């Protein structure tokens, strides 16, 4: 019973810490919906693909937002047609590094390993984003979202549908609803299973601000935005609770001695792929992993294995995986794990040669 209470205590503490950023992201996602900012983001990222990958990589590595707390915003942007390449770069960089993690890593296990962790996170995120970008240029990754039982409908599509009804009812004349933008700004095609794919050719290039201004003046749009906020709080919040509870279970029931037994001592190059595998269930978070790695280094673990453990673990930590899986389909989720695991192993071998 004591262990169960400890799990609940840890889950509650983690949930409180993450909830602040989670609700900030929900509010930002609501404003993105209301102001048609996804139209701006989609156009910008498609026009400047490589710069978009670089920007989101740096945003993930140098901001306090983790991959889970921004899932409401990420899901909204993906629905709005923002390329997966930019989102994937953020998702890989975000849990791997931020300024406090870099400072603590440098203090506890040395500046060389902290620098290797930073560079590794940037290279891993940029590499994943560039590979996906190349596939996108060939027409890939048009359908990336996880199927939903009740798929969200783009409100711009609802406006268009209303306009069409008004036109039909008005005979030869054209009647436009007062709160309806005249441009869809892009639309998505939804299949019967609830999965949606953005039609990138459906953007008519209409100016963004007139649509946003019209939307701000619409009471109906504010009501819809409020409903979407509540819907996302429930649908995504349950994943946040699950991740916090599961992490608490691991911290209470899995002894740290397992990590030491597997990775401690001189195992040579074999320690690097072992570090990637063992990081999946046993890496807790970016800060909690630092003393563990410090103790393993003192027991003779290779520095390359330390880099791999820190990078692979950040991508495959429970909150990070739950965050990605709650938004994208199985194919994209598997790709995310492949980038994290294989990329971290290659970077670990490179670090072993250089450090």
């Amino acid at each position: 019973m004591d262990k169960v209470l400890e799990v609940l205590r840890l889950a509650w503490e983690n949930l409180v810490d993450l909830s602040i950023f989670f609700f900030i992201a929900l509010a930002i996602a609501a404003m993105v919906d209301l102001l048609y900012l996804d139209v701006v983001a989609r156009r910008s990222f498609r026009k400047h693909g490589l710069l978009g990958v670089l920007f989101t990589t740096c945003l993930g590595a140098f901001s306090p937002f983790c991959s889970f707390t921004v899932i409401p915003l990420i899901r909204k942007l993906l629905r709005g047609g923002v390329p997966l390449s930019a989102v994937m770069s953020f998702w890989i960089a975000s849990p791997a590094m931020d300024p406090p993690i870099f400072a603590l890593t440098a203090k506890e296990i040395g500046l060389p390993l902290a620098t290797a962790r930073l560079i590794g996170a940037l290279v891993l995120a940029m590499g994943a984003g560039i590979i996906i970008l190349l596939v996108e240029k060939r027409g890939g990754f048009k359908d990336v979202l996880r199927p939903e039982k009740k798929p969200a409908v783009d409100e711009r599509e609802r406006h268009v549908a209303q306009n069409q009804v008004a036109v039909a009812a008005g005979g030869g004349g054209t009647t436009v609803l007062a709160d309806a933008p005249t441009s869809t700004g892009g639309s998505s095609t939804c299949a019967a299973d609830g999965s949606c794919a953005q039609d990138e050719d459906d953007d008519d290039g209409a100016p963004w601000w007139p649509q946003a201004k019209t939307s701000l003046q619409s009471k109906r749009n504010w009501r819809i935005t409020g409903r979407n906020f509540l819907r996302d709080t429930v649908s995504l919040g349950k994943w946040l609770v699950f991740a916090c509870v599961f992490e608490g279970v691991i911290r209470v029931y899995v002894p740290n001695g397992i990590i030491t037994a597997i990775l401690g001592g001189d195992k040579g190059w074999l320690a690097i792929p072992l570090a990637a595998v063992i990081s999946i269930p046993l890496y807790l978070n970016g800060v909690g992993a630092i003393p563990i790695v410090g103790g393993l280094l003192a027991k003779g673990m290779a520095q390359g294995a330390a880099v791999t453990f820190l990078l692979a673990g950040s991508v495959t930590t429970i909150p990070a995986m739950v965050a990605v899986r709650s938004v994208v389909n199985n194919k994209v989720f598997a790709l995310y794990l492949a980038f994290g695991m294989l990329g971290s192993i290659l970077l670990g071998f490179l670090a072993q040669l250089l450090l």
Side-chain angles (χ1 to χ4, degrees), residues 206-223:
W208 154 74
W209 175 242
Q211 298 185 40
K213 186 177 180 180
T214 302
S215 182
L216 278 173
Q217 296 171 349
S218 168
K219 294 182 180 180
R220 174 180 177 275
N221 281 7
W222 279 97
R223 290 194 299 269

Side-chain angles (χ1 to χ4, degrees), residues 73-230:
L73 177 60
I74 291 296
R75 185 165 71 171
K76 176 59 190 172
L77 293 176
L78 284 174
R79 281 176 177 165
V82 172
L84 177 64
S85 53
V87 173
M88 185 67 76
S89 296
F90 175 85
W91 257 334
I92 290 179
S94 182
M97 180 56 63
D98 60 33
I101 287 179
F102 178 82
L104 288 171
T105 304
K107 179 182 178 182
E108 295 294 329
I109 59 179
L111 184 59
L113 273 176
T115 304
R117 186 181 190 181
L118 171 61
I119 295 175
L122 295 175
V123 170
L124 196 60
M126 277 290 295
I130 290 172
I131 291 173
I132 292 179
L133 179 63
L134 293 174
V135 177
E136 287 174 338
K137 289 184 179 297
R138 294 178 175 270
F141 297 114
K142 289 183 177 294
D143 183 7
V144 301
L145 289 173
R146 180 182 179 182
E148 299 178 70
K149 294 181 179 179
K150 295 181 179 180
V153 177
D154 193 317
E155 299 307 326
R156 291 180 288 274
E157 293 179 350
R158 294 186 183 184
H159 288 314
V160 172
Q162 291 173 350
N163 283 343
Q164 292 171 344
V165 171
V167 170
T174 300
T175 304
V176 180
L177 297 179
D179 65 344
T182 57
S183 169
T184 65
S187 64
S188 57
T189 303
C190 293
D193 64 356
S195 59
C196 298
Q198 187 71 23
D199 183 359
E200 62 181 272
D201 297 325
D202 201 31
D203 190 342
D204 60 7
W208 154 74
W209 175 242
Q211 298 185 40
K213 186 177 180 180
T214 302
S215 182
L216 278 173
Q217 296 171 349
S218 168
K219 294 182 180 180
R220 174 180 177 275
N221 281 7
W222 279 97
R223 290 194 299 269
I224 291 171
T225 299
R227 289 201 300 268
N228 288 344
F229 182 91
L230 294 176

Side-chain angles (χ1 to χ4, degrees), residues 172-309:
T174 300
T175 304
V176 180
L177 297 179
D179 65 344
T182 57
S183 169
T184 65
S187 64
S188 57
T189 303
C190 293
D193 64 356
S195 59
C196 298
Q198 187 71 23
D199 183 359
E200 62 181 272
D201 297 325
D202 201 31
D203 190 342
D204 60 7
W208 154 74
W209 175 242
Q211 298 185 40
K213 186 177 180 180
T214 302
S215 182
L216 278 173
Q217 296 171 349
S218 168
K219 294 182 180 180
R220 174 180 177 275
N221 281 7
W222 279 97
R223 290 194 299 269
I224 291 171
T225 299
R227 289 201 300 268
N228 288 344
F229 182 91
L230 294 176
R231 182 200 65 212
D232 288 343
T233 299
V234 175
S235 64
L236 299 177
K238 63 185 180 183
W239 289 98
L240 179 61
V241 173
F242 169 78
C244 292
V245 172
F246 199 85
E247 183 175 353
V249 170
I250 291 177
R251 293 176 65 177
V252 170
Y253 287 97
V254 178
N256 289 335
I258 293 179
I259 305 176
T260 304
I262 295 176
L263 298 180
D266 185 12
K267 291 184 171 60
W269 293 91
L270 181 61
I272 294 175
L274 280 176
V277 173
I278 199 65
S279 70
I280 296 176
L282 300 182
Y283 183 102
L284 298 178
N285 54 61
V287 175
I290 296 173
I292 294 175
V293 170
L296 290 171
L297 288 170
K299 293 179 178 293
M301 183 178 70
Q303 291 188 322
V307 172
T308 295
F309 183 84

Side-chain angles (χ1 to χ4, degrees), residues 52-67 70 86-99 101 118 121-122 125:
V53 170
L54 177 61
F55 171 76
T56 54
T57 296
C58 293
L59 180 65
F62 301 115
S63 72
F65 289 95
C66 72
S67 56
V70 295
V87 173
M88 185 67 76
S89 296
F90 175 85
W91 257 334
I92 290 179
S94 182
M97 180 56 63
D98 60 33
I101 287 179
L118 171 61
L122 295 175

